[in-house]
Amino acid sequence: MADASPRTDISTDDTDEKNERFDRGKSTAMVAYDSSDRSKDKTDQKTLRRLAQNREAARKSRLRKKAYVQQLESSRLKLTQLEQELQRARQQGIFISSSGDQAHSAGGNGAMTFDVEYARWLEEQNRQINELRSAVTAHAGDGELRIIVDGIMAHYDEIFRLKSNAAKNDVFHLLSGMWKTPAERCFMWLGGFRPSELLKLLVNQLEPLTEQQLTGIGNLQQSSQQAEDALSQGMEALQQSLAETLCSGSLGSSGSSGNVANYMGQMAMAMGKLGTLDGFIRQADNLRQQTLQQMNRLLTTRQSARALLAIHDYFSRLRALSSLWLARPRE
Amino acid sequence: MDRVKDLASAKAAVIFTKSSCCMCHSIKSLFYELGASPAIHELDREVSGREMEWALRGLGCNPSVPAVFIGGRFIGSAKDVISYHVDGSLKQMLIDARAIWF
């Protein structure tokens, strides 16, 4: 802690005094050396040391004070930022309560709420997957496996429902993938995983498959790929259309009221187009859900169990990879 | 409604769209990819476009576009088309209506 040290100002005085004494000391040394001189030397040395220590203490005190003030400044900045975030969250309709019961707030559909819901969903999925893994390892019967598999499938329905609600409120948050880990985000397609890629991963792990199953899975892979391409093309068309809307008329002369009306018209049209984005996320999620359900239909209970375990393992490894990546030592 | 019915029965695969609708673009792409050549009718370019849209909503199509008919029968909107495509029934419907051959 800094203290308002009056000693901070005496260093220059010290120096002058010191020089004076040094000179005096020097001239004294020219004269015959006797006991009184010796004691005077000792006093000089003690004084010199004390003065040096004072200067050092003063310097350290100044540095501590500077560091403290810097900490205060950054705390003030952080506080302002937090206040702004809180204000923004309130405006989005999130109920900020000290009891932390955000799950049932009717108006709470902001990005933060979805992240919380998603975290909870993941936790529950981990629990279900562990239950499934234990059952498989323990060679449980088909009946028991079926119940757990159905539960996991129903749980997938739940995340698609949550995403559908979140898309209405903040489609950009979903599209950004900020609710996923970095590695997952990298391979994201239209706000989630790419169904055809997932099937490719699974095929090798599901052997042996009957002829019929192989055909079925092959068709499913092709269908999901086709649907993905179709949706991607629609998104591209949307992007192009949006770009055209925002660019039109920008080469006109400046300042006339007609241009203001033009600008507002353009913005209104662009807003309309942005409004269709959530439809694309919804159809992408629909595709994901349908693909999972069709896969489940094509496989035996035991195969479905293995498939769901494999899917979960893949994503949790991606998440673990993200953690490792974020924690890697950097220069 | 009559106009919708007439147009819907005129060809094996018929899609009602709007020129600005990008989801319609997706569904059209899917049909072309499957080798179907659907008849496309843009509601915003039709004289009775608004009545037609109202009729489509009456059939339960929400959003009203894209509205897909196969063999004169109302199939649904984008969500239904994708669901049917994934479980393989879309292709079968197109084959049955002779919109495609395999």
Side-chain angles (χ1 to χ4, degrees):
Chain A
M1 282 293 276
D3 49 318
S5 167
R7 286 180 282 173
T8 52
D9 296 322
I10 63 172
S11 52
T12 34
D13 295 340
D14 269 355
T15 325
D16 290 335
E17 214 180 327
K18 180 196 161 201
N19 286 339
E20 224 182 298
R21 270 190 227 190
F22 185 69
D23 288 338
R24 253 187 286 134
K26 254 214 295 203
S27 47
T28 321
M30 301 292 198
V31 178
Y33 189 71
D34 60 10
S35 56
S36 65
D37 283 334
R38 218 182 304 149
S39 63
K40 200 171 183 206
D41 260 342
K42 256 198 198 152
T43 324
D44 278 343
Q45 271 188 26
K46 266 198 198 163
T47 313
L48 286 175
R49 194 168 57 237
R50 184 175 55 82
L51 292 172
Q53 282 171 344
N54 281 356
R55 273 199 301 282
E56 190 54 33
R59 192 178 72 89
K60 285 197 176 133
S61 175
R62 278 196 302 278
L63 285 174
R64 278 198 306 272
K65 184 177 179 181
K66 187 174 176 195
Y68 178 64
V69 169
Q70 279 176 345
Q71 290 284 355
L72 277 182
E73 298 276 75
S74 27
S75 295
R76 198 167 64 86
L77 205 64
K78 184 84 190 143
L79 186 63
T80 315
Q81 282 175 355
L82 284 173
E83 279 175 342
Q84 282 175 352
E85 272 182 52
L86 202 60
Q87 182 63 15
R88 238 177 283 137
R90 283 214 176 91
Q91 278 172 354
Q92 280 187 13
I94 297 175
F95 175 62
I96 312 282
S97 93
S98 50
S99 65
D101 187 28
Q102 282 179 319
H104 306 291
S105 60
N109 279 331
M112 202 170 73
T113 307
F114 176 72
D115 289 2
V116 167
E117 288 172 335
Y118 176 63
R120 225 169 265 159
W121 182 88
L122 264 182
E123 253 180 66
E124 174 61 18
Q125 202 199 31
N126 285 335
R127 194 196 62 74
Q128 288 180 325
I129 289 288
N130 284 337
E131 194 188 347
L132 183 61
R133 209 187 302 274
S134 309
V136 168
T137 319
H139 303 294
D142 270 17
E144 187 185 333
L145 283 182
R146 188 79 251 160
I147 294 173
I148 308 176
V149 164
D150 285 348
I152 297 178
M153 291 301 292
H155 194 57
Y156 269 113
D157 289 345
E158 180 63 18
I159 189 60
F160 295 128
R161 194 187 63 80
L162 288 171
K163 284 175 80 181
S164 174
N165 286 340
K168 289 190 200 109
N169 269 280
D170 195 347
V171 65
F172 288 113
H173 178 63
L174 284 180
L175 275 173
S176 75
M178 289 311 291
W179 52 284
K180 282 186 183 271
T181 62
E184 289 173 291
R185 205 179 302 147
C186 178
F187 300 109
M188 212 178 57
W189 169 79
L190 270 186
F193 65 85
R194 204 180 254 278
S196 60
E197 279 305 313
L198 208 66
L199 289 172
K200 276 188 212 150
L201 293 168
L202 288 177
V203 159
N204 298 328
Q205 304 192 44
L206 288 176
E207 284 157 8
L209 292 168
T210 67
E211 274 304 311
Q212 202 178 25
Q213 283 180 325
L214 274 172
T215 315
I217 299 277
N219 287 341
L220 181 57
Q221 232 174 293
Q222 190 188 41
S223 301
S224 56
Q225 182 75 63
Q226 285 167 336
E228 283 163 28
D229 290 345
L231 287 174
S232 295
Q233 283 179 43
M235 269 296 270
E236 271 174 47
L238 180 58
Q239 233 176 317
Q240 186 139 342
S241 169
L242 193 64
E244 276 165 24
T245 306
L246 293 176
C247 289
S248 61
S250 56
L251 296 175
S253 56
S254 57
S256 70
S257 63
N259 275 350
V260 172
N262 262 352
Y263 180 84
M264 282 166 57
Q266 272 176 276
M267 283 299 158
M269 207 152 69
M271 283 288 283
K273 292 190 204 263
L274 278 189
T276 64
L277 262 177
D278 81 305
F280 278 95
I281 286 228
R282 203 167 298 124
Q283 291 315 319
D285 278 344
N286 179 33
L287 180 62
R288 290 176 192 116
Q289 189 176 26
Q290 296 300 324
T291 305
L292 282 173
Q293 285 176 1
Q294 177 71 357
M295 179 202 78
N296 188 34
R297 259 176 251 135
L298 289 171
L299 300 174
T300 65
T301 306
R302 211 157 287 272
Q303 284 169 329
S304 281
R306 290 217 313 272
L308 290 175
L309 288 175
I311 291 172
H312 180 264
D313 285 348
Y314 171 67
F315 285 118
S316 62
R317 280 179 204 159
L318 264 185
R319 286 192 282 271
L321 188 62
S322 294
S323 297
L324 282 174
W325 180 257
L326 287 170
R328 77 193 188 283
R330 276 170 264 203
E331 291 306 300
Chain B
M1 189 61 220
D2 289 331
R3 177 121 180 93
V4 167
K5 274 211 182 110
D6 288 342
L7 289 173
S9 341
K11 222 176 165 196
V14 176
I15 311 181
F16 294 94
T17 68
K18 278 188 192 160
S19 56
S20 57
C21 169
C22 293
M23 185 55 74
C24 298
H25 183 100
S26 283
I27 298 303
K28 281 187 330 195
S29 299
L30 185 61
F31 272 69
Y32 297 147
E33 178 64 29
L34 294 174
S37 311
I40 310 291
H41 301 290
E42 293 181 332
L43 295 185
D44 49 334
R45 303 259 158 88
E46 290 270 334
V47 175
S48 48
R50 216 170 298 180
E51 285 86 5
M52 291 167 72
E53 185 171 357
W54 193 79
L56 289 171
R57 276 200 207 277
L59 285 175
C61 198
N62 187 27
S64 57
V65 290
V68 174
F69 289 77
I70 299 180
R73 207 165 51 103
F74 175 61
I75 301 302
S77 191
K79 182 176 177 155
D80 308 291
V81 168
I82 288 175
S83 305
Y84 288 137
H85 184 52
V86 169
D87 72 18
S89 43
L90 182 70
K91 223 181 191 181
Q92 195 53 52
M93 284 188 252
L94 288 170
I95 291 173
D96 292 344
R98 308 237 217 267
I100 58 176
W101 308 105
F102 48 83

